[in-house]
Amino acid sequence: MVTLLMTRAREASDRFLALLPAETRADLRVIHSPLIETVPLDVELSLAGVRGVIFTSANGVSAAARLTERRDLPAWCVGGATTAAARAHRWGAECVGRDADELVRTLIARRPEDPLSHLRGVHARGDIAARLSAAGIETREAVVYDQRLLPLTPQAVQALAGADPVIVPLFSPRAARHFASLATGRAPLYLAAMSHAVAEPVSSLNFNTLKVSKAPTAQTMAQAVTSLVARAGRVVGGSDED
């Protein structure tokens, strides 16, 4: 039996699983073992004078929604899930990039009214505020949540110690680094990374396949996982021919 080890929070994992074809899900044993726990911070959030907000994760949206009632500002977002979350919380949200780099390029080209505020977690990549400010778009930062590392669950440890294939989708460099520090055992590993930056921390692991998503989107990650399920299934069936 092929195991799919989901390393994101349950809600995000369930959204991702729904993107997989039904026949693919039917061939899997799914284990949930989040590697990072999102903890909203009890901080004071001031948006005085701000002309727009930037969200790079749905976690940032939900954390900010707890801290402010303002919904009159445009929200510039990374990715469809983040945009949907912002709209669900009544922000006028627009997706302006699939990743931080694309968001920065788009906003520099559009030159929105500033100052902006990037509402982010303790651990963030991309230097969004600094890069936009350097390009003449004043951008502040407000840290509204933390991302705490979690151990693997006993069920996940057992699966990694077994002989059956384990497929692990990884969505961030920090989660990938943490998984690399925890992964032990003899199970054949089939890794899907959302980008080359995510793939790099796990590149030294003893894996059967490391597949980098064609684009940093949930849909292309689902395609990568689907192809890994087929490959791992051939191994279980005694053939690994393409």
Side-chain angles (χ1 to χ4, degrees), residues 230-231 234-235 238-242:
R231 178 179 286 273
R234 289 195 293 270
V235 171
S239 172
D240 192 22
E241 296 179 2
D242 289 320

Side-chain angles (χ1 to χ4, degrees), residues 53-202:
V53 294
I54 296 171
F55 291 119
T56 47
S57 74
N59 292 324
V61 173
S62 59
R66 292 161 52 98
L67 298 172
T68 180
E69 295 182 356
R70 289 195 63 180
R71 299 294 187 271
D72 59 315
L73 299 171
W76 311 109
C77 301
V78 167
T82 303
T83 307
R87 289 172 180 167
H89 282 283
R90 297 183 291 106
W91 268 288
E94 181 180 351
C95 179
V96 290
R98 296 174 298 176
D99 56 23
D101 290 341
E102 193 170 308
L103 175 139
V104 168
R105 288 195 299 270
T106 301
L107 291 184
I108 289 174
R110 290 195 182 185
R111 315 298 299 184
E113 288 187 283
D114 61 357
L116 308 178
S117 182
H118 180 199
L119 308 181
R120 65 172 182 84
V122 172
H123 304 275
R125 299 178 67 252
D127 294 325
I128 288 173
R131 291 162 67 189
L132 289 174
S133 295
I137 302 170
E138 181 187 346
T139 306
R140 307 164 185 173
E141 293 181 305
V143 176
V144 295
Y145 68 98
D146 196 3
Q147 308 105 308
R148 299 176 185 170
L149 299 178
L150 297 174
L152 291 169
T153 65
Q155 192 179 15
V157 171
Q158 184 178 24
L160 292 169
D164 291 335
V166 178
I167 298 171
V168 187
L170 296 164
F171 295 85
S172 74
R174 188 163 182 254
R177 286 193 299 273
H178 189 43
F179 179 75
S181 74
L182 299 174
T184 59
R186 63 193 182 104
L189 286 178
Y190 293 79
L191 307 176
M194 198 164 196
S195 67
H196 289 286
V198 177
E200 194 279 329
V202 293

Side-chain angles (χ1 to χ4, degrees), residues 9-41:
R10 185 60 181 260
E11 185 177 348
S13 290
D14 287 344
R15 287 197 304 267
F16 181 76
L17 289 170
L19 297 175
L20 301 177
E23 59 272 21
T24 298
R25 296 197 303 271
D27 292 335
L28 295 170
R29 175 181 65 148
V30 178
I31 293 176
H32 293 273
S33 182
L35 293 177
I36 297 175
E37 175 186 29
T38 299
V39 182
L41 298 178

